[in-house]
């Protein structure tokens, strides 16, 4: 099998269209203008020795190993910093160059430990490799005198020596092995954009320093791994490599965290995962990573992972381990009993946005073919369902318009209700790189998120709007664009319905939509609104990126429509650098929607009422499909409380922790007679489950994920499922137990069925994905290589549709009892409900949910940083510790929802989006006060959870 090898060309590629031809060691090579001699040589198959150069960062020219000779020029210029020229004749291997390189390498080795045989990088050390390449056979300089290698020199303390820094849970920093090539510093600056590393000192005193000579764990480092990946020695080494050893084979797969969909090489030794290395050919991440994807995979072998099926009669009973056959037979029998007793629509299921497209497709197929109803929903109900509705109404398709590469041609970035540096960090790094190159930034968010002001970046306009006023503020931006004549009339007349535009324009031009009126409502300076609107309309290519701060509102769908209106009015649709881009939260939430996980849609966003669409599946599946939409998740819970919904199959979703109004969710689950949880761990929902089916991780299965840019990426199995079955096999066995004649032998056969029945996936197959690397749907005969940019020559629906967006205030209001507004979100080191990341060393950065509160609000309540506080709403109360910060505005508090002992969603209400039932997580009226500890509800919840997780021990046979 072997390791997947990637060529390092030494310097980044040039984007110039002009070609230049030169000669390298007698070979003719043609490359784009601006290409370095080093890269041109590598493209000709000639590797020039290097240490400070790598194609992930710009040329630096410090190591002096890559020197070349050029006919007609004096000296020996560095090949990494010298661009090619027409007719240039380059020599990479002359006697003079050999002597220089050996001399340079000799100096490096004279201040480097010679512990190669016991070094963690043995076999994967560029210094070791290049020493062999240049023919170094002897080092004439001893270690006497100044050095960084030994703790003591002649018995005296060596103050140039520094101890190894092992503070970071995932990698070590050994200064004695540093060659000061600056690759780690440049990777932190150019690739990640954090600027956490620097070179301190001068000359021989130079060394890498995290922040201001701090430990890595105390510095600004975000543990993305870019520095470790860039390091050519063992200075920065993964602790997993130190513990396990060098990997011997690797498999390219896709990360199972956020919606960026990063490609990784899973590097293995036998069946043990050694490390995850970002794959340079991954079109979503381009070789970069974040702390979660790079390092936080330890949950797959965590001791709390459940590997055997379990059942119990009542949720108060301890779990009993059983065979797969008994668990599946029991489940099928219970579901059939419930349907016989309560009716066909008394059971349903929830698909997972963490599972593959193929697994999601099978769950919705099981419900429609096996359960014979449309009671299927997915986590997008509580996150991006308004995106599907809003973009479907205006553009005709329920997904983002661009690929991630599009950001490189953007002139004005508008971020609305999203925190990309924490929730989508790899894409945020690409965004920050573009901003450092001069693109302008507008941010609409109640909080001052990190991207508002960070290293070498500052937003031109930050509109800290009051939670719940998104529609009003976005409409006010449109008001300025319309009333000042800044709209793109040519685009609108050609691509949209002009009459609908005029109706919309007359609406947004009304005085009540002016920045002056809206500014008072939203607590935003009207001049800032006007300036932001002018910048977006006149600043060149404008791209809008938005997140859950847009969708998780009672007017979430309306805000999405308002955003689409804004993009159409300014002509920012249908080319690179522009577009409307929802930043999807989970790795396959886009795919779960694509696969027909909504109760009103079959795969490909086709309504269940369509006779022609149902005919496709009825002829293939051999059953009559229901033409009426089924129940959404909130409807299922309501029906359960009412007594008409009694059975639920939940795959890879934790609705008790993630969905709003926890008490209502618990009441709904408690009222059901058969709750089946299919997951890795006994999550919070499993507290009310009767059957537990152990799941498999992304490392243990084949399949595909579809990321936020509609990119279909392969997921490849790197180890056998520790529970014995991949998730698709579990669903298939359940279907077979219920009498269905499924007989898939491999997930590729499921994808073939998807492609046969879904027009936007028509050309997608595993063979095709292996050839192409990845594709973005639609991928069919009309777009055989996929569709990176949507709506280029026209909208999917024909003409773009302008729709009025009247602001309607939420029913959730502040008052004397609850004077503050709570909004929620995520943090970099944790993911969603934390089921995975809480079972990794990422808890070092975020071991608990904290309540962010403005200093004024804290002072009024007598609170200090770190105090326990009571957070109460009309729905419930919880306690957590305060974090006093001016990141939030006065009157606004903020928390995350990663830890179940906080259960932030006991606070949120049952208010939801008018069109999709997406919960209004982002606006909850609350009061905050001092507390002595956990609330009574938290104590009761903890006791119930502990009792529910008991597993009966098997008595030893006599």
């Amino acid at each position: 099998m072997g390791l997947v090898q990637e060529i390092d060309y030494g310097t980044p590629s040039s984007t110039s269209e002009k070609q230049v031809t030169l000669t390298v060691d007698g070979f003719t090579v043609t490359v784009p203008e601006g290409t370095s001699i080093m890269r041109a040589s590598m493209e000709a198959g000639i590797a020039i020795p290097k240490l400070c150069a790598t194609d992930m960062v710009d040329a630096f020219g410090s190591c002096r190993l890559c020197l070349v000779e050029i006919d007609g020029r004096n000296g020996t210029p560095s090949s990494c910093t010298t661009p090619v020229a027409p007719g240039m004749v380059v020599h990479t291997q002359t006697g003079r160059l050999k002597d220089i390189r050996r001399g340079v390498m000799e100096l490096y080795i004279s201040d480097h430990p010679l512990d190669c045989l016991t070094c963690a990088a043995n076999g994967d050390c560029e210094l070791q490799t290049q020493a062999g390449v240049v023919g170094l056979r002897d080092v004439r300089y001893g270690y006497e005198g100044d050095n960084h290698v030994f703790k003591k020199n002649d018995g005296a303390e060596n103050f140039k020596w520094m101890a190894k820094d092992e503070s970071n849970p995932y990698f070590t920093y050994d200064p004695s092995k540093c060659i000061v090539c600056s690759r780690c510093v440049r990777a932190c600056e150019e690739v990640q954009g954090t600027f956490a590393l620097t070179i301190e000192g001068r000359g021989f005193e130079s060394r890498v320093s995290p922040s201001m000579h701090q430990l890595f764990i105390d510095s600004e480092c975000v543990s993305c791994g870019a520095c470790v990946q860039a390091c050519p020695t063992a200075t920065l080494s993964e602790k997993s490599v130190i513990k396990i050893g060098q990997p011997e084979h690797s498999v390219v797969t896709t990360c199972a965290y956020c919606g960026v969909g990063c490609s990784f090489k899973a590097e293995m030794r036998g069946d043990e995962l050694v490390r995850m290395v970002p794959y340079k050919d991954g079109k979503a991440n381009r070789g970069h990573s974040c702390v979660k994807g790079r390092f936080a995979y330890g949950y797959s072998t965590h001791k709390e992972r459940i590997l055997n099926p379990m059942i119990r009669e009542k949720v108060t009973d301890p779990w009993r381990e059983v065979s797969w056959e008994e668990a599946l037979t029991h489940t099928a029998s219970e579901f059939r009993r419930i349907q016989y007793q309560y009716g066909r629509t008394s059971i349903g299921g929830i698909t997972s946005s963490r599972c593959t497209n193929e697994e999601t497709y099978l769950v919705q197929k099981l419900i429609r073919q096996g359960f014979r109803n449309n009671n299927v929903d997915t986590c997008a109900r509580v996150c991006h369902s308004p995106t599907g509705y809003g973009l479907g109404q205006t553009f005709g398709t329920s997904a983002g318009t661009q690929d991630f590469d599009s950001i490189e041609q953007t002139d004005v970035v508008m971020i609305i209700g999203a925190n990309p540096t924490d929730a989508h960090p790899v894409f945020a790094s690409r965004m920050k790189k573009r901003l450092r190159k001069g693109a302008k930034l507008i941010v609409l968010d109640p909080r001052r998120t990190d991207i508002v002001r960070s290293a070498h970046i500052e937003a031109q306009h930050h509109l800290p709007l009051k939670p719940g006023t998104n529609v009003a503020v976005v409409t006010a931006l449109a008001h300025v664009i319309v009333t000042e004549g800044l709209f793109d009339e040519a685009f609108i007349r050609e691509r949209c319905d002009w009459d609908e535009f005029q109706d919309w324009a007359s609406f947004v031009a009304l005085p009540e939509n002016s920045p002056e009126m809206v500014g008072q409502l939203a607590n935003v300076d009207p001049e800032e609104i006007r300036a932001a609107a002018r910048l977006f309309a006149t600043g060149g290519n404008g791209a809008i990126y938005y997140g859950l701060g847009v969708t998780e509102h009672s007017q979430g769908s309306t805000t999405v429509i308002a955003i689409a209106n804004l993009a159409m009015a300014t002509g920012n649709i249908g080319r690179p650098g522009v577009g409307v881009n929802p930043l999807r939260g989970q790795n396959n939430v886009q795919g779960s929607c694509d696969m027909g996980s909504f109760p009103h849609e079959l795969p490909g966003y086709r309504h269940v009422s369509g006779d022609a669409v149902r005919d496709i599946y009825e002829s293939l599946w051999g059953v009559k499909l229901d033409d009426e939409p089924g129940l959404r998740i909130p409807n299922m819970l309501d029906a359960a409380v009412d007594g008409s919904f009694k059975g639920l199959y939940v795959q890879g979703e934790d609705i008790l922790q993630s969905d709003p109004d926890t008490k209502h969710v618990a009441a709904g689950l408690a009222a059901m007679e058969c709750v089946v949880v299919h997951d890795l761990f006994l999550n919070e929902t499993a507290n009310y489950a009767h059957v537990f089916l152990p799941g498999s991780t992304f490392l243990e299965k084949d399949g595909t994920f579809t990321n936020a840019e509609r990119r279909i990426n392969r997921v490849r199995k790197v180890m056998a499922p520790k529970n014995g079955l991949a998730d698709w096999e579990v669903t298939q066995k359940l279907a077979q137990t219920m009498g269905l004649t499924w007989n898939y032998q491999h997930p590729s056969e499921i994808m073939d069925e998807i492609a046969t029945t879904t027009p936007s996936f028509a050309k997608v197959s595993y063979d095709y994905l292996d050839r192409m690397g990845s594709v973005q749907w639609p991928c069919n005969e009309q777009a055989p290589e996929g569709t990176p940019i949507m709506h280029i020559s026209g909208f999917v629906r024909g003409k773009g549709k302008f729709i009025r967006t009247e602001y309607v205030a939420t029913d959730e209001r502040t008052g004397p009892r609850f004077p503050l507004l709570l909004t929620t979100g995520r943090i970099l080191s944790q993911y969603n409900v934390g089921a995975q990341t809480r079972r990794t060393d990422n808890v070092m950065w975020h071991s608990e949910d904290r309540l962010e509160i403005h200093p004024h609000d804290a002072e009024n309540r007598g609170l200090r940083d770190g105090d326990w506080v009571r957070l109460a709403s009309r729905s419930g109360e919880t306690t957590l510790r305060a974090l006093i910060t001016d990141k939030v505005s006065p009157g606004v508090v903020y928390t995350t929802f990663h830890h179940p002992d906080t259960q932030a969603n006991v606070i949120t209400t049952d208010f939801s989006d008018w069109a999709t039932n997406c919960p209004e997580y982002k606006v909850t009226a609350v009061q905050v006060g001092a507390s002595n500890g956990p609330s009574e509800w938290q104590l009761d919840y903890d006791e119930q959870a502990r009792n529910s997780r008991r597993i009966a021990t098997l008595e030893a046979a006599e």
Side-chain angles (χ1 to χ4, degrees), residues 364-595:
Q364 65 85 31
K365 180 178 178 178
L366 170 66
I367 292 162
R368 292 188 161 112
Q369 184 190 17
F371 296 2
R372 303 292 296 276
N373 64 47
N374 287 315
N375 291 340
V376 59
D377 211 348
T378 189
C379 88
R381 174 65 52 215
V382 300
C383 59
H384 269 286
S385 52
T387 288
Y389 180 85
L391 297 186
Q393 293 292 307
T394 51
F395 297 163
T397 188
S398 302
T401 63
Q402 312 296 115
D403 61 0
F404 289 148
D405 288 347
S406 174
I407 190 68
E408 295 172 10
Q409 299 182 51
T410 299
D411 300 309
V412 181
V413 177
M414 182 182 289
I415 302 173
I416 309 178
N419 185 8
T421 54
D422 280 21
H424 304 85
V426 172
F427 176 67
S429 293
R430 299 183 70 179
M431 182 184 283
K432 289 192 291 183
K433 189 171 186 177
R434 179 61 186 161
L435 294 171
R436 292 197 302 274
K437 289 183 177 180
K440 306 302 183 185
L441 176 63
I442 302 166
V443 177
L444 281 68
D445 200 290
R447 295 174 72 231
R448 190 185 70 246
T449 55
D450 288 344
I451 204 164
V452 171
R453 190 173 189 274
S454 59
H456 301 280
I457 294 170
E458 185 163 10
Q460 276 63 42
H461 304 286
H462 174 216
L463 311 183
L465 70 174
K466 180 181 177 182
T469 60
N470 289 344
V471 170
V473 173
V474 177
T475 303
L477 293 172
H479 174 96
V480 177
I481 290 167
V482 167
T483 57
E484 297 187 5
L486 304 178
F487 54 87
D488 188 336
E489 182 174 344
F491 177 91
I492 297 166
R493 286 188 179 276
E494 178 188 352
R495 302 285 301 278
C496 306
D497 186 298
W498 181 252
D499 290 337
E500 289 178 345
F501 167 74
Q502 288 184 305
D503 176 72
W504 171 79
S506 66
F507 162 73
V508 299
L510 293 172
E512 58 261 36
N513 293 320
S514 69
E516 288 68 30
M517 294 293 288
V518 171
Q520 295 179 33
L521 175 75
N523 296 336
V524 177
D525 182 354
E527 289 306 311
E528 279 291 293
I529 297 176
R530 289 191 176 276
R534 292 165 185 153
L535 175 59
F536 185 74
T538 64
N541 287 340
I544 301 173
Y545 294 88
Y546 70 88
L548 303 184
V550 162
T551 57
E552 292 178 343
H553 287 270
S554 61
Q555 279 199 292
S557 293
T558 312
T559 309
V560 174
I561 292 170
I563 288 169
N565 289 338
L566 198 65
M568 291 188 291
T570 53
N572 281 308
I573 289 289
R575 64 183 187 276
V578 299
V580 175
N581 306 279
L583 293 174
R584 298 279 189 164
Q586 297 202 53
N587 55 297
N588 200 40
V589 66
Q590 180 68 58
S592 68
C593 299
D594 300 342
M595 293 298 104

Side-chain angles (χ1 to χ4, degrees), residues 777-798:
W777 66 257
C779 180
N780 45 35
E781 293 300 329
Q782 292 73 38
E785 295 186 3
T787 311
I789 308 293
M790 295 284 285
H791 318 299
I792 290 176
S793 57
F795 289 98
V796 171
R797 71 181 308 277

Side-chain angles (χ1 to χ4, degrees), residues 253-275:
T253 190
T254 304
C255 178
Y257 277 115
C258 79
V260 175
C262 297
S263 296
F264 280 88
K265 295 183 293 183
E267 297 195 341
M268 311 288 294
R269 173 156 289 281
D271 64 352
E272 186 173 13
L273 180 60
V274 177
R275 63 183 174 190

Side-chain angles (χ1 to χ4, degrees), residues 853-902:
I853 185 170
H854 191 274
H856 294 169
D857 294 324
E859 184 177 5
N860 289 340
R861 290 161 175 78
L863 302 176
R864 294 172 297 180
D865 194 70
D867 281 356
W868 285 98
V869 297
R870 173 181 174 268
L871 177 67
S873 73
R874 295 178 181 89
S875 294
E877 65 178 66
T878 188
T879 58
L880 66 172
R881 292 197 302 138
L883 178 64
I884 299 176
T885 174
D886 62 0
K887 282 187 175 182
V888 292
S889 302
V892 176
V893 292
Y894 168 89
T895 189
T896 53
F897 56 95
H898 303 303
H899 292 269
D901 50 2
T902 303

Side-chain angles (χ1 to χ4, degrees), residues 18 35 43 56 331 639:
K18 184 179 179 181
T35 301
E43 292 191 10
M56 288 293 290
T331 300

Side-chain angles (χ1 to χ4, degrees), residues 82 147 241 314 383 432 583 744 763 787 936 952:
T82 306
N147 67 77
V241 173
K314 302 188 297 294
C383 59
K432 289 192 291 183
L583 293 174
Y744 302 106
K763 276 193 70 69
T787 311
E936 183 178 346

